[in-house]
Amino acid sequence: MVDTAKLVREFGTPLYLYDLRRVRESVASLRSALPTGTHIYYSLKANPHPDIAAAARAEGCDAGVTSPGEVADAAAAGFPLDECLYTGPGKSEEAVDRSVREGVRTFSVESETDFRRRARAAERTRQRLRCLIRVNGTEAAGGVGLRMSGGPSQFGVDFARVAGLAKSVQDHPGTTLRGLHFFPLTNAKDEESLLEEFTRTLRAAAALRAQGVPIDQLDIGGGFAAPFAVPGDPPVYRSLADRLTAALDEHMAGWRDGAPRISVESGRYLAASCGTLVLGVLDVKKSHGRTYAVLDGGVNCLGGMSATGRLLPLSAVPLEATERAEDKNEPVHLAGPLCTPVDVLGRGTRLPLPRVGDLVQIPNVGAYGMTASLLAFLSHPSAAEVVVDGGRLVSATRLQRERRPIGPPPSGAAPGPDQGRPAGPNPGRR
Ligand SMILES: *Cc1c(COP(=O)(O)O)cnc(C)c1O
């Protein structure tokens, strides 16, 4: 077991502690919840830390990436880039060209304009690019998870226009139509919602296949859930594998022979449980009858996306909350150190009254923790990120924020201290 107190003495707080064993367990558990042979993309968006990504790679996942930075992280983690899937509603020519030069070949196509960019990139780089058309499904929104398609959306191509776009992709000499990409929801409420969504996806894909759209790869997306910043285990999907297998048999003839190959994507389910955020208590104070624990990390370390009022309503419950019987615990507001009232991680969380110098541990923050936070807001150093594998220390790093000049120096400006020096590790210009 890891000695958290010892790591804190060495690296300080705030500290993200990641255990690679949990990543491997999560991949195995997702694999067992899916039809035999289902291909899994690890979405680096959830946590691009190279050790975590490498653990997902070692378990046989490919990488789902959305930016040149994630392409670099995927490469550093050992993912073969020609098997990466590059997705996202806005891909600049520069980002795509750079990724193609690095070795990325497969892209999700989100619109006609996005396709024309892909075609031009294929011409410029003289590489044949494989395209999955991202489909915005046909059905109206249901009450599950966070839906990302079915109505007006910046994601994907409306169902009615997919067949026409598929033809353009096939006809262009620089592009190959690999198949279809769906990602209609994230963080599904339960197994039923997940299966319902996959079934809708399979119906839509089958309808497009019947219209003549060839499908060598069908990426049915994901939506696999996990607790966020509260104690608990990721859901176990007991009947999903059997029922999804049946749905595939019904709608996607050939899938058992890999025609089409079936893929899913997951960030949250694979990475959430590996991470714990350890924070130090800087102050404990009462105000108008309410108890505040002021921690040394807040929305600059965790939950910045919630502070924006979007996604994952944050109400962190530390592990300490489960240590004693409920009735002995007290409601505590968990505040961060930032000078803004949005910097609250938990409100009225019942836990043993913390004391100055105590540690508070927020579990299940391996996904959408660190890099989904307001990292640069108020300019504190970012949290330490310490990776262990069971009891063994693997790495300890800190993501750095730095400002570098870009472009030529403004005319008439006196040369800065860095300018004119040979390019070192932190060159003044490109
Ligand atoms: C965000 C995203 C994912 C990952 O979602 P999780 O909820 O972390 O599993 C996968 N695919 C696409 C296209 C996404 O935008």
Side-chain angles (χ1 to χ4, degrees), residues 43 45-46 87 134 148 181 183 186-187 265-268 368:
S43 308
K45 175 177 82 182
T87 67
R134 180 160 178 184
M148 297 167 76
H181 175 210
F183 192 78
T186 167
N187 212 12
E265 305 171 12
S266 173
R268 188 185 312 275
Y368 304 109

Side-chain angles (χ1 to χ4, degrees), residues 79-104:
F79 286 94
L81 293 185
D82 69 342
E83 288 301 327
C84 278
L85 173 61
Y86 195 119
T87 67
K91 311 177 194 69
S92 71
E93 306 221 339
E94 192 195 0
V96 170
D97 280 10
R98 208 168 125 191
S99 305
V100 172
R101 279 198 303 275
E102 300 288 329
V104 178

Side-chain angles (χ1 to χ4, degrees), residues 182-234:
F182 290 78
F183 192 78
L185 94 162
T186 167
N187 212 12
K189 162 169 116 264
D190 54 25
E191 186 161 0
E192 289 307 315
S193 333
L194 209 48
L195 188 78
E196 200 177 294
E197 200 63 49
F198 284 143
T199 306
R200 273 187 207 159
T201 290
L202 290 177
R203 281 206 205 97
L208 289 165
R209 203 185 205 188
Q211 290 176 30
V213 178
I215 310 176
D216 294 327
Q217 180 181 359
L218 178 60
D219 182 342
I220 59 175
F224 310 104
F228 178 68
V230 294
D233 295 318

Side-chain angles (χ1 to χ4, degrees), residues 309-350:
R310 182 89 172 107
L311 299 181
L312 311 167
L314 182 66
S315 63
V317 177
L319 288 171
E320 289 75 10
T322 54
E323 277 175 4
R324 264 204 251 155
E326 269 280 296
D327 57 351
K328 298 237 185 65
N329 290 345
E330 296 190 33
V332 178
H333 269 48
L334 297 169
L338 309 184
C339 300
T340 160
V342 303
D343 196 20
V344 177
L345 297 181
R347 291 180 170 77
T349 315
R350 299 197 78 90

Side-chain angles (χ1 to χ4, degrees), residues 18-384:
Y18 304 122
D19 190 344
L20 299 181
R21 235 178 13 186
R22 303 300 294 269
V23 180
R24 291 194 294 270
E25 286 167 8
S26 300
V27 179
S29 141
L30 182 59
R31 213 179 273 297
S32 69
L34 293 167
T36 314
T38 306
H39 168 241
I40 302 174
Y41 287 111
Y42 172 58
S43 308
L44 268 79
K45 175 177 82 182
N47 193 332
H49 192 296
D51 292 337
I52 292 172
R57 172 61 199 159
E59 294 303 298
C61 297
D62 277 314
V65 296
T66 60
S67 70
E70 286 186 357
V71 171
D73 288 332
F79 286 94
L81 293 185
D82 69 342
E83 288 301 327
C84 278
L85 173 61
Y86 195 119
T87 67
K91 311 177 194 69
S92 71
E93 306 221 339
E94 192 195 0
V96 170
D97 280 10
R98 208 168 125 191
S99 305
V100 172
R101 279 198 303 275
E102 300 288 329
V104 178
R105 294 290 177 271
T106 311
F107 292 84
S108 175
V109 168
E110 300 255 357
S111 70
E112 284 81 0
T113 305
D114 195 32
F115 163 63
R116 283 192 293 274
R117 289 220 174 95
R118 220 49 16 79
R120 282 201 298 275
E123 286 157 18
R124 273 195 306 271
T125 60
R126 298 174 185 284
Q127 293 292 340
R128 179 170 277 273
L129 300 182
R130 302 183 287 250
C131 298
L132 290 173
I133 297 180
R134 180 160 178 184
V135 184
N136 179 4
T138 48
E139 277 90 358
V144 291
L146 177 77
R147 286 193 55 109
M148 297 167 76
S149 77
S153 169
Q154 77 262 47
F155 301 112
V157 178
D158 285 359
F159 182 85
R161 296 218 307 277
V162 173
L165 180 57
K167 184 96 183 34
S168 311
V169 176
Q170 285 177 286
D171 288 349
H172 193 280
T175 56
T176 307
L177 181 63
R178 174 68 95 84
L180 302 176
H181 175 210
F182 290 78
F183 192 78
L185 94 162
T186 167
N187 212 12
K189 162 169 116 264
D190 54 25
E191 186 161 0
E192 289 307 315
S193 333
L194 209 48
L195 188 78
E196 200 177 294
E197 200 63 49
F198 284 143
T199 306
R200 273 187 207 159
T201 290
L202 290 177
R203 281 206 205 97
L208 289 165
R209 203 185 205 188
Q211 290 176 30
V213 178
I215 310 176
D216 294 327
Q217 180 181 359
L218 178 60
D219 182 342
I220 59 175
F224 310 104
F228 178 68
V230 294
D233 295 318
V236 178
Y237 298 118
R238 292 184 199 288
S239 67
L240 184 64
D242 286 348
R243 294 161 77 196
L244 184 53
T245 297
L248 282 162
D249 283 340
E250 184 182 344
H251 299 289
M252 269 299 128
W255 77 275
R256 283 174 184 265
D257 304 314
R261 177 189 210 193
I262 306 297
S263 305
V264 298
E265 305 171 12
S266 173
R268 188 185 312 275
Y269 191 91
L270 301 186
S273 67
C274 82
T276 303
L277 176 59
V278 187
L279 299 166
V281 178
L282 292 176
D283 200 351
V284 178
K285 58 205 262 191
K286 294 251 187 218
S287 169
H288 292 274
R290 183 181 282 170
T291 305
Y292 284 87
V294 181
L295 310 174
D296 57 11
V299 294
N300 55 332
C301 301
L302 177 69
M305 299 219 304
S306 319
T308 64
R310 182 89 172 107
L311 299 181
L312 311 167
L314 182 66
S315 63
V317 177
L319 288 171
E320 289 75 10
T322 54
E323 277 175 4
R324 264 204 251 155
E326 269 280 296
D327 57 351
K328 298 237 185 65
N329 290 345
E330 296 190 33
V332 178
H333 269 48
L334 297 169
L338 309 184
C339 300
T340 160
V342 303
D343 196 20
V344 177
L345 297 181
R347 291 180 170 77
T349 315
R350 299 197 78 90
L351 61 157
L353 186 65
R355 284 159 308 191
V356 172
D358 279 357
L359 298 177
V360 168
Q361 301 190 51
I362 316 280
N364 287 315
V365 290
Y368 304 109
M370 178 78 178
T371 58
S373 303
L374 301 178
L375 274 181
F377 193 36
L378 277 90
S379 302
H380 287 279
S382 58

